Amino acid sequence: MSSTIREADTGASKVTPLPARTAANTPVLPDHAIARNPGMRLDLGFMESVRSVNRSALERRVASLTKRRSIKADNQAAWLLRAVACMDLTTLNSNDTEERVRRLCAKAINPFRRDIVEGLGIAGETIRPAAVCVYHPFVATAVDAVRGTGIHVAAVSTAFPHGLAPLSTRLQEIEASVRDGADEIDVVIPRGLVFGAKWQELYNEIVSMREACGEAHLKVILGTGDLATLRNVMLASMVAMMAGADFIKTSTGKESVNATLPVGLAMVRAIRAYFEETGYLIGFKPAGGISTAKVSLDWLVLMKEELGRPWLEPDLFRFGASSLLTDIERQLEHHLTGHYSANHRHAMA
């Protein structure tokens, strides 16, 4: 499982001109239009400069973030509402049906019970998950169900979750999902390309996927639970961004280990390094195992502390989640009443 950077870029790829170096904490105006990442030539020298990852230091940083931040009362309620706005409400089960997907979309459109909405005083606000995420066969159903609401439809493509189908088949699946109306495509990389340090091949595949997406945004799933080392995670993140990814995503949710805070910290620092080098803002999506409101707050704190306020917007941050919304709704009811309700009192996605 070598992660040695040993490939040379022998092609005649055009180098994308890079803006002047930008500080990671540069303020971004609230009404900014985020320039889409055009990608750049595979730069093995830049990858070499970021390949060293100190796991102990990352774990200490994560521990300090989660212990010294205590978000209570109204502030906690506000942060939980932000978590909902940054959510990709997801159903990726083998027994999914069109009716289940319509139910998911109905929950996305009306995520809270009316008494909670009125109690929080947000009746005039539109607080909804940013997207619903489904398998390709259900894209058209989801597009029809959320039409006119502003909720995006994300499709998991490219032989999810293993990514081992022929490249031509994976590209055809992307194109089919885009034709059906998906405006976000979550693709999965073949993890073997990382283990073999086949960076040029991985780069070329992601470039092809980005081209197949057209105007749809590309989220690249690394499958971090399978990558074994944080070094592999860092290098795969860099290759994905250089190839034009709009988001990098931790997991499919099907690995034995999914999103963890140390892995997330490594990925957001890769995002920061790419931003400082190119000036382009890349989104981040942790997914898999994020099922409680408390955990969602930890991730929001991580984003705020490491990347700053712009990365608390759905344009740059998403949770991949299915049961998280129910727990957030229970926490918001507790904030209002002082009591926890049973799950069955909240409509399930």
Side-chain angles (χ1 to χ4, degrees):
M1 289 185 287
S2 169
S3 59
T4 303
I5 302 176
R6 63 170 183 252
E7 290 191 9
D9 183 11
T10 56
S13 303
K14 181 179 178 181
V15 179
T16 303
L18 302 180
R21 190 173 177 86
T22 308
N25 60 355
T26 300
V28 179
L29 297 177
D31 60 348
H32 73 282
I34 296 174
R36 192 173 183 191
N37 175 32
M40 58 184 284
R41 178 181 59 84
L42 181 64
D43 186 341
L44 300 182
F46 182 37
M47 290 173 61
E48 181 69 31
S49 72
V50 299
R51 70 191 298 267
S52 297
V53 182
N54 186 328
R55 175 179 286 275
S56 295
L58 291 183
E59 290 174 347
R60 287 195 300 271
R61 171 63 170 161
V62 165
S64 71
L65 286 175
T66 56
K67 288 179 181 177
R68 66 188 176 88
R69 284 283 187 174
S70 181
I71 305 172
K72 302 294 184 182
D74 288 348
N75 287 332
Q76 184 183 89
W79 279 66
L80 291 177
L81 292 174
R82 172 59 52 177
V84 172
C86 292
M87 189 180 297
D88 282 3
L89 194 57
T90 301
T91 182
L92 297 172
N93 301 308
S94 59
N95 60 349
D96 281 344
T97 63
E98 290 187 357
E99 184 55 39
R100 182 191 293 270
V101 170
R102 282 191 285 267
R103 181 181 175 185
L104 181 86
C105 294
K107 181 66 173 176
I109 294 169
N110 294 292
F112 309 116
R113 290 201 325 256
R114 181 167 293 278
D115 60 312
I116 294 176
V117 170
E118 292 174 352
L120 292 172
I122 57 172
E125 305 293 332
T126 302
I127 300 174
R128 294 169 172 162
V132 293
C133 184
V134 298
Y135 280 116
H136 165 70
F138 305 108
V139 168
T141 300
V143 168
D144 184 62
V146 301
R147 195 181 308 277
T149 65
I151 297 172
H152 298 283
V153 174
V156 293
S157 299
T158 63
F160 180 95
H162 50 77
L164 295 178
L167 179 59
S168 59
T169 301
R170 288 179 277 149
L171 296 179
Q172 288 169 7
E173 186 179 7
I174 293 173
E175 292 166 351
S177 293
V178 172
R179 284 196 301 272
D180 282 355
D183 56 357
E184 298 180 357
I185 303 293
D186 290 29
V187 305
V188 59
I189 65 169
R191 277 68 116 191
L193 297 182
V194 177
F195 296 146
K198 298 179 180 179
W199 305 120
Q200 188 67 56
E201 185 176 348
L202 177 60
Y203 174 88
N204 291 342
E205 285 202 2
I206 298 173
V207 167
S208 297
M209 293 173 188
R210 164 68 186 272
E211 183 177 355
C213 285
E215 295 302 313
H217 277 212
L218 174 66
K219 303 196 200 92
V220 177
I221 308 170
L222 305 183
T224 53
D226 292 339
L227 294 185
T229 68
L230 290 177
R231 177 174 295 172
N232 282 341
V233 170
M234 176 68 80
L235 294 176
S237 297
M238 278 297 174
V239 173
M241 291 185 287
M242 289 178 181
D246 297 293
F247 271 72
I248 52 175
K249 176 178 171 181
T250 60
S251 318
T252 64
K254 309 297 184 182
E255 296 90 28
S256 58
V257 177
N258 293 293
T260 66
L261 288 168
V263 162
L265 180 54
M267 293 175 69
V268 301
R269 287 189 172 176
I271 288 172
R272 186 168 67 190
Y274 187 83
F275 175 57
E276 290 177 343
E277 185 69 20
T278 69
Y280 289 105
L281 289 72
I282 309 299
F284 176 61
K285 179 178 174 180
I290 302 173
S291 58
T292 67
K294 181 181 183 303
V295 171
S296 73
L297 293 176
D298 290 341
W299 283 101
L300 289 172
V301 168
L302 173 67
M303 301 306 293
K304 175 66 168 61
E305 292 290 322
E306 287 290 320
L307 293 178
R309 180 62 181 81
W311 271 269
L312 293 182
E313 298 292 337
D315 286 347
L316 289 173
F317 181 64
R318 301 286 181 84
F319 291 105
S322 52
S323 58
L324 174 60
L325 180 54
T326 297
D327 194 62
I328 288 177
E329 194 175 11
R330 291 181 67 243
Q331 293 295 329
L332 291 173
E333 182 169 0
H334 179 268
H335 171 68
L336 293 172
T337 67
H339 301 285
Y340 286 106
S341 61
N343 281 356
H344 67 259
R345 296 196 63 238
H346 303 273
M348 299 293 286

